[in-house]
Amino acid sequence: QQQTRQVENCQPILGNGAPFPVTSSARGGTEPASCTEARSVLLTALNQQATTVEGWRCVIDLTAQAVGVCKSGGRTIQAASPS
């Protein structure tokens, strides 16, 4: 059985003047986080190098393709490195 995965592309967040593309996705019929929430959580996580933000568990790695990834239940939000 196919897991449906909803993905929403959000406005980028700015870090050091560079745009970091943001995506919000969910699987198993869960609604993705709103872009507003996704951008807010990712900005906080990146600015404070935080591992938990408002119930989201985050991994920050500024050298990776995805500089910030936060998960909450079946929902995932992600900031990619500027292309």
Side-chain angles (χ1 to χ4, degrees):
Q1 120 173 9
Q2 187 69 27
Q3 278 275 25
T4 53
R5 185 178 161 89
Q6 293 174 277
V7 178
E8 204 166 330
N9 291 306
C10 304
Q11 290 285 321
I13 53 178
L14 291 178
N16 296 330
F20 291 81
V22 172
T23 53
S24 174
S25 60
R27 57 177 196 276
T30 313
E31 276 292 302
S34 71
C35 284
T36 306
E37 182 181 10
R39 296 174 73 233
S40 165
V41 169
L42 286 163
L43 268 175
T44 301
L46 288 164
N47 288 335
Q48 299 174 8
Q49 300 285 299
T51 53
T52 52
V53 181
E54 297 165 27
W56 292 84
R57 290 185 314 286
C58 301
V59 176
I60 305 301
D61 181 352
L62 298 178
T63 63
Q65 193 63 46
V67 294
V69 179
C70 300
K71 294 179 188 284
S72 175
R75 302 184 302 164
T76 303
I77 56 179
Q78 174 176 314
S81 61
S83 45

